Amino acid sequence: MDDLEELYNEIIMEHSMNSYNKKNLDSCDFCEMGHNPNCGDEIKLEIKLNGDIIEDMAFTGHGCAISQSSTSVMIDVLKGKTIKEAKDVIKTFIDMIKREITDESKLEKLEEAIAFRNISNMPARVKCALLAWHTMEDLLEKNSK
Ligand code: ZN
């Protein structure tokens, strides 16, 4: 294992063990459930908007370390972004996992979420890593025009 992989694993472990994003919001504008039957992962995302900015986000749920940490990292990355920016980041993450990114510089916008890039080597874990991102994509599709 090289240093970079070790760093990635640390990010994933940190978010799965002790996520400050795992809670209910006092008030939320939208929420969306996500479910990955392959692994038994379940999450509920809660979003608070201020205009078209994602002012606050949180999640509840249970499942494997990958699904829970991916959700938490996604929240850190998307909080404070506009809906348009968030959609772009989500698409970039999904493309990264599918290995459809050829321009490495595009991955910069993923911030800590780049830690999940090696998940594409573990096909059984791909759905776990993508659960939150697909759920957020659905939420934004349904609730924004
Ligand atoms: Zn899982």
Side-chain angles (χ1 to χ4, degrees):
M1 192 187 290
D2 62 26
D3 287 350
L4 193 59
E5 259 178 72
E6 204 162 310
L7 172 70
Y8 286 173
N9 285 335
E10 259 171 45
I11 292 171
I12 293 169
M13 285 317 291
E14 191 188 298
H15 277 270
S16 76
M17 310 257 289
N18 179 23
S19 179
Y20 42 83
N21 292 321
K22 195 166 190 172
K23 60 184 181 191
N24 288 105
L25 295 181
D26 294 337
S27 72
C28 63
D29 295 317
F30 301 116
C31 64
E32 183 80 23
M33 305 284 297
H35 183 214
N36 169 22
N38 292 40
C39 178
D41 306 316
E42 278 180 355
I43 55 160
K44 181 183 173 204
L45 295 177
E46 296 186 15
I47 313 292
K48 190 175 187 306
L49 292 178
N50 182 354
D52 69 342
I53 293 172
I54 299 168
E55 189 173 79
D56 207 1
M57 269 181 93
F59 80 106
T60 50
H62 58 88
C64 66
I66 299 290
S67 67
Q68 304 300 299
S69 61
S70 176
T71 309
S72 176
V73 168
M74 180 187 78
I75 288 173
D76 275 356
V77 175
L78 297 187
K79 218 192 284 184
K81 294 214 165 32
T82 65
I83 290 171
K84 190 164 175 282
E85 287 166 342
K87 284 182 175 174
D88 184 43
V89 172
I90 292 166
K91 188 182 182 310
T92 303
F93 184 86
I94 295 171
D95 286 349
M96 173 184 79
I97 302 291
K98 290 185 186 162
R99 297 173 180 270
E100 282 170 7
I101 298 274
T102 48
D103 180 359
E104 287 278 317
S105 67
K106 280 191 180 168
L107 297 178
E108 276 169 31
K109 70 181 79 154
L110 294 178
E111 298 167 32
E112 277 199 322
I114 200 171
F116 290 90
R117 67 181 308 177
N118 295 329
I119 291 291
S120 46
N121 301 326
M122 295 180 265
R125 287 282 172 240
V126 163
K127 282 188 175 152
C128 304
L130 287 178
L131 176 64
W133 302 77
H134 279 310
T135 305
M136 186 63 182
E137 198 179 33
D138 288 348
L139 184 154
L140 293 176
E141 279 307 314
K142 272 191 221 167
N143 298 300
S144 65
K145 285 151 218 104

